[in-house]
């Protein structure tokens, strides 16, 4: 009857979302001498923000991928990964008294785990 249905609706409870434990604000720096391609070293900086709204750490890592660039870094937070690379000329250009800087932004579909190039 309608009384039974009303009783069932009022006694139904919902479970709250799981609480992710938040570590205290801290950081660690590690170097692994053989973790990179061809047993090269990798450097990792892990930062825990220590805030309930930011439970996932920020993980900065260099030396693992994009080694053809002059410098590369991956930033990981949760399931999101950002790859930043920088390139430079091997010789300075004569007559320049400033640092020419250009930024090229390209959005790729590397979220599927595929990046161009065959260099490891």
């Amino acid at each position: 009857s309608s009384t039974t249905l009303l009783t069932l609706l009022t006694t139904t409870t919902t479970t709250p979302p799981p609480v992710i434990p938040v570590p205290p604000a801290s950081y660690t720096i590690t170097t692994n001498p053989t973790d990179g391609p061809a047993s090269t070293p990798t450097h990792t900086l892990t930062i825990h923000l220590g805030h309930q709204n930011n439970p996932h750490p920020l993980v900065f890592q260099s030396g693992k991928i994009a080694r053809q660039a002059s410098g590369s870094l991956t930033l990981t937070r949760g399931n999101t990964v950002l790859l930043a690379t920088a390139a430079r000329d091997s010789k300075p250009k004569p007559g320049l008294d400033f640092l020419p800087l250009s930024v090229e932004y390209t959005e790729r579909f590397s979220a599927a785990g595929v990046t161009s190039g065959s260099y490891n």
Side-chain angles (χ1 to χ4, degrees), residues 63-102:
K64 188 116 180 182
I65 61 174
R67 289 186 17 213
Q68 284 181 316
S70 298
S72 68
L73 182 84
T74 57
L75 168 60
T76 307
R77 181 170 179 219
N79 293 328
T80 304
V81 178
L82 172 78
L83 170 64
T85 60
R88 65 174 181 90
D89 227 346
S90 60
K91 299 178 190 173
K93 295 183 179 167
L96 289 181
D97 59 352
F98 64 96
L99 175 67
L101 178 65
S102 65

Side-chain angles (χ1 to χ4, degrees), residues 8-24:
L8 286 175
L9 289 175
T10 58
T11 58
T12 304
T13 59
T14 59
T15 58
V19 176
I20 299 173
V22 179

Side-chain angles (χ1 to χ4, degrees), residues 12-60:
T12 304
T13 59
T14 59
T15 58
V19 176
I20 299 173
V22 179
S26 62
Y27 71 94
T28 57
I29 300 173
T30 58
T31 298
N32 190 332
T34 59
D35 193 34
S39 297
T40 58
T42 61
H43 307 284
T44 305
L45 168 64
T46 304
I47 301 173
H48 293 279
L49 300 175
H51 193 273
Q52 185 64 39
N53 293 334
N54 298 309
H56 300 289
L58 296 171
V59 180
F60 297 87

